[in-house]
Amino acid sequence: MNANPTIKRILFATDFLASSRLALDYAAAFAHHFKAVLVMLHVLELSSAAREAETQTAQPSLSRKGAQERLEAIASGVRRLGLEVETFVEEGVPSDVVLQAVDRHSADLLVLGIHGVHRGIEHLLIGSNTEEILLSANCPTMTVGAHVMAGLDLGLHLEKILYFSDFTPEAVAAAPYALFLSREFRAPIDVCQLLPVAAESNPKLRQDLADEYCEWMRRALPEAGPDWLEPAFYLDHGMVLDEMIDRDQRVNAGLIVLGARAQSQFRRRLHTSFVYQLLAKATCPVVSIRYRDP
């Protein structure tokens, strides 16, 4: 993650469901704050009959026309707010099309609406398309769940940013973005450090993890404040999973920021209840930063 990120182009992917409408509020608010171009994308999955009709007539099908009209109607409302908006309706597998659009439109931020689907008592699904996008996008991704406050004002004000970390390099990679958003919105950051299960009853392991983490932080973010470079600071902010989820629900947070890659605690837990609960039940948007190997 660039230590000096910018947001000039925001890609908003919509499926026209209620969750996307809520996410649009945040996409528009960020576009307004950063004076960014808002690129709206709808991915069309045509039936075989509609695709055949388009091939035979060389004309857009009713499904494509309807999607274009719906997207343009949404865009017109946003343009009336004074924002610059571009619209695109594309056909294909949603995750593939969105990931390609991130690169093609040089997006600095991707915004998605998600909705949790319960299967059983403990398990939550957010959808394979969303999961693939979160773990593969070449820009930060903001997901907005169903429990996020609606009726957002265009002049977005963030009371607090929660930076979720787990003593890994990929978590460190998200720190510059958390600090960037903190400066932009003049919002304090609350650090929540996920303790590995093995370290919960092992003080030496906790200390070793904190020492190594701070060394990574010094390399990635040498200008960070003294607290962010001291192992004791992270040991004081160590939490277990339930405490981190509970903190999101108790504090008046505006955003959660975290980093992810296959080896991280967050990535490893993607098929368990934690990340599903976080994304589906969070009361504020979650911004995830994909870690790239040096």
Side-chain angles (χ1 to χ4, degrees), residues 17 191 211 284:
L17 297 178
V191 175
D211 289 342
C284 65

Side-chain angles (χ1 to χ4, degrees), residues 242-292:
D242 290 344
E243 290 175 329
M244 294 178 77
I245 294 173
D246 179 64
R247 186 157 189 79
D248 163 50
Q249 295 174 343
R250 285 190 296 104
V251 304
N252 190 22
L255 285 176
I256 292 172
V257 179
L258 56 84
R261 197 191 68 171
Q263 285 74 22
S264 75
Q265 294 285 334
F266 291 108
R267 183 74 172 264
R268 282 201 300 268
R269 297 174 191 270
L270 193 64
H271 291 286
T272 63
S273 62
F274 172 60
V275 170
Y276 283 118
Q277 288 185 42
L278 177 61
L279 294 178
K281 295 184 177 180
T283 56
C284 65
V286 178
V287 178
S288 59
I289 316 298
R290 179 189 170 201
Y291 175 80
R292 294 177 179 80

Side-chain angles (χ1 to χ4, degrees), residues 117-151:
V117 179
H118 291 270
R119 288 189 180 178
I121 297 174
E122 296 280 336
H123 194 48
L124 278 145
L125 298 178
I126 57 172
S128 58
N129 284 317
T130 301
E131 179 180 324
E132 178 65 25
I133 291 167
L134 285 174
L135 301 181
S136 305
N138 287 323
C139 73
T141 301
M142 178 191 294
T143 53
V144 183
H147 297 285
V148 176
M149 180 184 67

Side-chain angles (χ1 to χ4, degrees), residues 1-5 163 165 168-183 189 191 212-230 233-234 257 289 291:
M1 184 71 220
N2 190 335
N4 297 295
Y163 167 50
S165 180
T168 59
E170 46 269 32
V172 172
Y177 207 79
L179 289 172
F180 162 66
L181 294 175
S182 173
R183 290 192 297 266
I189 298 176
V191 175
E212 188 174 31
Y213 183 82
C214 285
E215 181 57 36
W216 289 326
M217 188 68 79
R218 290 186 189 98
R219 297 174 192 170
L221 209 60
E223 72 276 15
D227 283 347
W228 283 56
L229 304 179
E230 293 294 330
F233 174 74
Y234 297 103
V257 179
I289 316 298
Y291 175 80

Side-chain angles (χ1 to χ4, degrees), residues 14-181:
T14 178
D15 54 10
F16 300 138
L17 297 178
S19 55
S20 288
R21 180 62 188 87
L22 182 58
L24 176 59
D25 289 344
Y26 279 89
F30 266 64
H32 173 75
H33 179 90
F34 291 101
K35 297 179 174 58
V37 176
L38 183 57
V39 180
M40 293 187 176
L41 170 69
H42 174 71
V43 182
L44 190 64
E45 296 182 90
L46 286 178
S47 66
S48 56
R51 193 176 297 110
E52 183 178 350
E54 289 192 346
T55 300
Q56 292 179 350
T57 65
Q59 296 291 326
S61 63
L62 291 177
S63 297
R64 190 182 299 274
K65 288 180 180 178
Q68 290 171 335
E69 290 172 359
R70 290 187 69 179
L71 189 62
E72 189 55 39
I74 295 170
S76 296
V78 177
R79 291 189 183 106
R80 286 195 289 271
L81 299 174
L83 301 179
E84 182 178 352
V85 181
E86 300 173 2
T87 61
F88 298 89
V89 173
E90 300 179 14
E91 183 188 356
V93 177
S95 58
D96 293 344
V97 174
V98 171
L99 290 171
Q100 292 164 9
V102 166
D103 297 334
R104 186 169 61 257
H105 296 290
S106 301
D108 302 302
L109 178 68
L110 169 64
V111 181
L112 302 170
I114 62 172
H115 48 280
V117 179
H118 291 270
R119 288 189 180 178
I121 297 174
E122 296 280 336
H123 194 48
L124 278 145
L125 298 178
I126 57 172
S128 58
N129 284 317
T130 301
E131 179 180 324
E132 178 65 25
I133 291 167
L134 285 174
L135 301 181
S136 305
N138 287 323
C139 73
T141 301
M142 178 191 294
T143 53
V144 183
H147 297 285
V148 176
M149 180 184 67
L152 184 71
D153 187 81
L154 195 63
L156 179 61
H157 174 70
L158 302 180
E159 293 288 343
K160 183 177 291 187
I161 293 172
L162 296 184
Y163 167 50
F164 279 10
S165 180
D166 65 351
F167 292 115
T168 59
E170 46 269 32
V172 172
Y177 207 79
L179 289 172
F180 162 66
L181 294 175

